[in-house]
Amino acid sequence: MRPFSYARAADLAQAVRLGEHTGQGQTDAPAQFLAGGTTLYDLMKLDVMMPGRLVDLTSLRATHGTVTATTAGLRLGALARMAHVAAHPAVRSEYPVVAQSLQLAASAQLRNMATLGGNVLQRTRCTYFRDPSWTECNKRTPGSGCAALNGFNRNHAVLGTDASCIAQYPGDFAVALMALEAEIDLIGPHGSRRLPFASLHRAAEGQPHLETTLRPGEVITAFFIPATAWAHRSVYVKVRDRASYEFAIASAAVALELDGDVVRQARIGLGGMAYRPWRAQVAEAVLTGKPLTEASAKAAGRAAMEGAVGHGHNDYKLELGRQTVVRALMEAKAMPTPSRKV
Ligand SMILES: Cc1cc2nc3c(=O)[nH]c(=O)nc-3n(C[C@H](O)[C@H](O)[C@H](O)COP(=O)(O)OP(=O)(O)OC[C@H]3O[C@@H](n4cnc5c(N)ncnc54)[C@H](O)[C@@H]3O)c2cc1C
Ligand code: SF4
């Protein structure tokens, strides 16, 4: 671990000022915001991230850690803790996929500490990335190569990869955000902006060290999930090597609006298999306007994994991904009909 300076921001304006040299998604950014610290401290101890300055956001929790549900949608403060949001009655009843994605993540201790903003910005669990004794890692050291391509890649991605990086995006909450077409609110040195959540994480495109579209100094202040007719009937299915305290090897966030058995609208997010939080729009189109049956769910599963490429040890994810989509669709169909329609 290297020496670093520490500053606690009293308010958002000060956080932005102090954080002008942050560059989330860049290992070598000279400053980093500190929220729960549950992943940043790990990476600093491993010498993977070496910020010279930490800007502590925890004083902002009272103002930017709240949950507000209105007829327009759900607003989640970025400093809200995972456990708090997972247990919130409105989130559990009206946006179940969000509550489930948080509840199935990490451990109780981590969920009590970790925030939503930090969760979506967590880095890959690729072992070559997290161990600097491996010199080949384009994400950690641009231009150095990718040790995982010909190494042990059982947990790596099969969707959205390129020759520069096959790392898997590890988070769960982001997958639910993709399915529910969430937006994020940001504030930075040049003012505030709102972005579709889907545009936060960049494709690898030969530059895997650049992970997000955040600008230096930008703080995520909130997530907004619009109230839709499909948010109520939504589930998160997470497949992992053990039943708790483990990252996904495949996951699917599914939200459905049904008219009887017929799919009016479908939204599908995928996790554990893709380079970044993934939306399976081709699979959604396969389902729309047709009765949801085992056969149509299988067709959607196949469409969701179209273009997926295995790298050897992770070839099993192609079939696992299809099956995970089928299971999530059938679980969503079996949910009781929501009492409130948007
Ligand atoms: C053993 C273990 C198992 C885990 N299992 C899972 C799992 O199954 N599923 C899952 O989803 N996650 C899992 N996690 C990851 C865990 O959920 C994250 O560590 C946590 O959510 C990060 O949140 P934090 O508030 O602690 O972030 P921090 O560590 O404080 O920050 C992470 C990054 O986000 C940046 N940041 C934080 N907040 C903001 C903000 N508001 N604006 C801009 N930048 C910000 C920081 O600068 C930093 O770069 C696991 C972690 C561990 C250690
Ligand atoms: S998969 Fe990505 S993170 Fe892992 S070694 Fe290759 S370049 Fe690095």
Side-chain angles (χ1 to χ4, degrees):
M1 187 133 127
R2 317 281 164 143
F4 60 89
S5 67
Y6 168 91
R8 183 181 279 249
D11 55 33
L12 213 42
Q14 198 184 18
V16 169
R17 251 195 329 277
L18 288 167
E20 74 179 306
H21 297 299
T22 54
Q24 284 84 11
Q26 293 185 45
T27 309
D28 58 355
Q32 288 289 331
F33 292 119
L34 174 68
T38 61
T39 194
L40 180 58
Y41 286 148
D42 274 1
L43 291 167
M44 288 171 69
K45 286 188 230 167
L46 293 168
D47 262 356
V48 172
M49 291 177 82
M50 292 175 262
R53 173 190 277 182
L54 291 189
V55 180
D56 190 342
L57 301 178
T58 48
S59 306
L60 313 182
R61 179 162 294 121
T63 42
H64 299 283
T66 54
V67 175
T68 318
T70 65
T71 50
L74 181 67
R75 192 173 188 282
L76 304 170
L79 271 295
R81 290 193 159 121
M82 292 169 73
H84 171 60
V85 180
H88 194 282
V91 182
R92 287 164 62 95
S93 64
E94 293 171 44
Y95 304 85
V97 66
V98 173
Q100 291 162 15
S101 70
L102 291 165
Q103 185 62 36
L104 292 172
S107 65
Q109 290 89 340
L110 286 160
R111 294 193 296 272
N112 281 333
M113 193 71 198
T115 66
L116 302 186
N119 186 275
V120 299
L121 294 176
Q122 64 181 286
R123 316 291 301 274
T124 182
R125 308 302 290 191
C126 171
T127 40
Y128 303 106
F129 170 74
R130 292 173 67 85
D131 179 353
S133 68
W134 290 93
T135 49
E136 276 181 83
C137 176
N138 287 324
K139 195 178 272 299
R140 190 164 26 75
T141 312
S144 61
C146 172
L149 271 176
N150 297 312
F152 185 64
N153 49 42
R154 178 180 181 275
N155 292 333
H156 287 68
V158 293
L159 288 163
T161 59
D162 70 10
S164 68
C165 183
I166 58 168
Q168 170 223 52
Y169 174 80
D172 295 297
F173 173 56
V175 183
L177 294 178
M178 291 297 285
L180 296 185
E181 298 178 339
E183 298 175 309
I184 51 170
D185 288 336
L186 307 171
I187 187 159
H190 305 293
S192 312
R193 58 186 182 128
R194 179 172 277 199
L195 286 183
F197 179 73
S199 65
L200 176 63
H201 293 89
R202 291 172 186 245
E205 290 174 340
Q207 295 191 305
H209 62 294
L210 302 176
E211 290 184 346
T212 74
T213 55
L214 289 179
R215 298 170 186 156
E218 275 189 325
V219 180
I220 304 177
T221 53
F223 299 86
F224 178 74
I225 301 173
T228 53
W230 48 91
H232 295 71
R233 187 186 289 280
S234 63
V235 295
Y236 188 66
V237 168
K238 177 172 178 175
V239 182
R240 43 190 164 168
D241 285 333
R242 58 182 178 198
S244 83
Y245 196 20
E246 189 53 280
F247 289 91
I249 48 175
S251 73
V254 160
L256 294 177
E257 183 192 5
L258 296 180
D259 182 2
D261 274 357
V262 174
V263 177
R264 273 204 190 140
Q265 297 273 355
R267 297 289 183 275
I268 303 174
L270 298 180
M273 297 179 282
Y275 177 78
R276 54 178 170 162
W278 201 256
R279 170 115 177 250
Q281 276 164 306
V282 182
E284 295 167 7
V286 164
L287 295 163
T288 308
K290 299 182 199 111
L292 179 54
T293 61
E294 187 94 21
S296 70
K298 282 184 180 162
R302 284 193 296 276
M305 298 307 289
E306 254 170 39
V309 181
H311 307 281
H313 303 110
N314 68 353
D315 290 349
Y316 73 98
K317 289 196 179 188
L318 276 60
E319 183 56 22
L320 184 65
R322 292 180 200 114
Q323 296 299 338
T324 306
V325 170
V326 173
R327 194 173 125 200
L329 284 167
M330 298 323 277
E331 284 189 18
K333 182 184 175 186
M335 288 175 73
T337 302
S339 51
R340 186 171 75 81
K341 292 223 168 186
V342 178

